[in-house]
Amino acid sequence: MPYFATFAVVDVDTYTGRVEVQKLVVLNDCGTVMYATGAESQQIGGQVMALGETLTEELVYDRASGLPLNFNLIDYKMPTMANMPDIEPVLLEVWRGAGEYGACGIGEGAVTCTPRAVANAVYNAIGVRIDELPLTPEKVLRALGKS
């Protein structure tokens, strides 16, 4: 069983509500690392999906029909490499003896901690907790009482 921790540094514009992630540090206690470059790439790649979930990706449904209104890649905003912050992958090697040569998973869990880390960093920045993803500018402004 792998263990993960993610730390985020954010800037929050209290006038526009925009959240910009400046840096992510992604720690993975993944047992024996057999290919460090590949393992770090899994951590970095997972952050693209994680930041999409955290900041931009949201399916909007028609309340009357229940059908998705933005079920396309134009209205469903996914991050690109141009949108990514500095990412520092950290691999910890703690022998578990569970997998082949003591290795554990990497790719699956790389996404799990980032939304919480960013939401907590936003809370630390503005003093108000937002408990619904994605952390859109509208939600930030509403939390600040500026809706």
Side-chain angles (χ1 to χ4, degrees), residues 18 32 35-36 43 46 52 56 62 74 84 89 92-93 97 99 101 105 111 115 118-119 122 128 130 139 147:
R18 183 168 184 263
T32 304
Y35 178 53
Q43 288 179 300
T56 61
D62 182 284
I74 297 206
M84 296 306 294
L92 304 175
E93 294 187 81
Y101 306 107
V111 178
V118 173
V122 169
V128 180
I130 303 169
K139 291 176 187 172
S147 57

Side-chain angles (χ1 to χ4, degrees), residues 3-65:
Y3 295 94
F4 295 88
T6 303
F7 301 90
V9 176
V10 301
D11 282 337
V12 181
D13 186 328
T14 57
Y15 294 107
T16 66
R18 183 168 184 263
V19 175
E20 185 175 341
V21 179
Q22 298 295 318
K23 182 173 184 172
L24 292 170
V25 178
V26 184
L27 287 90
N28 186 348
D29 177 359
C30 55
T32 304
V33 176
M34 292 181 267
Y35 178 53
T37 303
E40 289 174 346
S41 296
Q42 284 282 324
Q43 288 179 300
I44 293 168
Q47 298 317 298
V48 177
M49 293 188 320
L51 279 183
E53 175 186 354
T54 306
L55 298 176
T56 61
E57 296 177 24
E58 181 176 30
L59 276 176
V60 179
Y61 293 93
D62 182 284
R63 290 182 183 263
S65 68

Side-chain angles (χ1 to χ4, degrees), residues 52-116:
E53 175 186 354
T54 306
L55 298 176
T56 61
E57 296 177 24
E58 181 176 30
L59 276 176
V60 179
Y61 293 93
D62 182 284
R63 290 182 183 263
S65 68
L67 296 173
L69 297 174
N70 63 336
F71 204 56
N72 59 65
L73 295 179
I74 297 206
D75 297 323
Y76 187 86
K77 305 294 184 199
M78 296 185 296
T80 66
M81 290 310 293
N83 306 112
M84 296 306 294
D86 179 33
I87 301 171
E88 182 180 336
V90 179
L91 298 170
L92 304 175
E93 294 187 81
V94 177
W95 173 261
R96 300 231 186 285
E100 191 73 22
Y101 306 107
C104 300
I106 284 187
E108 301 84 359
V111 178
T112 59
C113 297
T114 305
R116 293 147 192 86

